[in-house]
Amino acid sequence: LSRQGARRIVVGRERSQSFAELNSFAQWAQAMGYRVSGQVLEQRRRGADATEAVRLALQPGDPVLSVLRLRSLEGEPVMLERTVYAGWIAPVVERIPPDCESITQALYEDVGLVFAYGEHLIDAVAAGVEDSRLLVVRRGSPLLRQRRVTTTHEGRPVEWSDDRYRAGSVTFSIRNSVDANPLVRQMGDLRLMP
């Protein structure tokens, strides 16, 4: 990927993230030996919209915490996270420093919260104004979008997130077989099932 004024990233090995384990972006990157960083750009409490309410098992208008984070690998911006946290976990998330590398790890260390189940929706979208500015790509550039809802062991929804990756920054790895096929194709969406 070449952009005017940007330095080129040389990748010695493919940045492949497997769905076999439920790891955060930071946990995956650190395990792969990459230098990872994150910065909260915006954080605010508000009422849940209709989609968020369904995904988080809430009523529309129930309190949620909306967080926009820019994620980088090796100092280069690669992903925008737009995460909505259920109101019950919001006070804990608000205490986490804005430059925390892994909110998932911080939640585990602070209150013992374990993300036990994740449902992932993967598609491609065009970069809008905010995406293009923050990821340093042209408006309309393709982005890999991963939307996910994660829950506790008890099935209590914790977060609903819309993560947008700059093209060429990561590859998702999915293994399946005739005996265990986690993929379901729905109306143009690729859904991962347990």
Side-chain angles (χ1 to χ4, degrees):
L1 178 67
S2 180
R3 298 180 317 275
Q4 186 175 1
R7 66 184 176 95
R8 189 173 277 258
I9 301 174
V10 178
V11 180
R13 64 182 187 271
E14 186 172 57
R15 292 175 173 167
S16 178
Q17 181 174 356
S18 174
F19 282 105
E21 299 173 351
L22 190 58
N23 288 329
S24 72
F25 174 78
Q27 290 168 331
W28 161 79
Q30 290 165 345
M32 294 289 289
Y34 294 113
R35 185 171 43 96
V36 63
S37 62
Q39 184 63 46
V40 172
L41 305 175
E42 180 182 300
Q43 180 172 285
R44 66 184 175 96
R45 288 198 189 215
R46 60 173 174 76
D49 68 23
T51 300
E52 295 160 353
V54 168
R55 292 295 180 179
L56 294 172
L58 304 170
Q59 294 297 315
D62 280 356
V64 294
L65 177 66
S66 176
V67 179
L68 174 66
R69 288 177 84 204
L70 179 62
R71 309 308 306 273
S72 298
L73 284 177
E74 302 298 321
E76 285 287 317
V78 295
M79 191 248 287
L80 277 178
E81 289 178 344
R82 290 177 175 90
T83 307
V84 178
Y85 294 92
W88 65 270
I89 196 67
V92 181
V93 175
E94 288 173 319
R95 289 196 305 260
I96 297 172
D99 61 349
C100 175
E101 288 181 5
S102 175
I103 289 178
T104 301
Q105 187 65 34
L107 289 173
Y108 174 74
E109 291 170 359
D110 192 4
V111 294
L113 179 71
V114 174
F115 290 110
Y117 171 79
E119 179 182 356
H120 305 264
L121 304 169
I122 301 172
D123 60 4
V125 295
V129 173
E130 185 175 51
D131 295 341
S132 61
R133 179 176 56 83
L134 295 172
L135 290 173
V136 196
V137 296
R138 287 192 174 102
R139 188 171 174 193
S141 294
L143 302 176
L144 178 66
R145 179 172 67 171
Q146 175 196 13
R147 290 171 291 164
R148 71 178 185 284
V149 63
T150 52
T151 67
T152 64
H153 280 289
E154 300 77 30
R156 188 177 194 187
V158 179
E159 65 176 4
W160 167 244
S161 193
D162 178 316
D163 300 343
R164 298 181 184 201
Y165 292 84
R166 200 172 73 194
S169 60
V170 298
T171 299
F172 288 109
S173 168
I174 301 167
R175 291 192 175 102
N176 59 1
S177 70
V178 294
D179 296 325
N181 189 345
L183 299 177
V184 176
R185 197 177 306 273
Q186 283 189 327
M187 303 278 292
D189 284 335
L190 186 62
R191 291 185 67 188
L192 299 178
M193 305 299 283

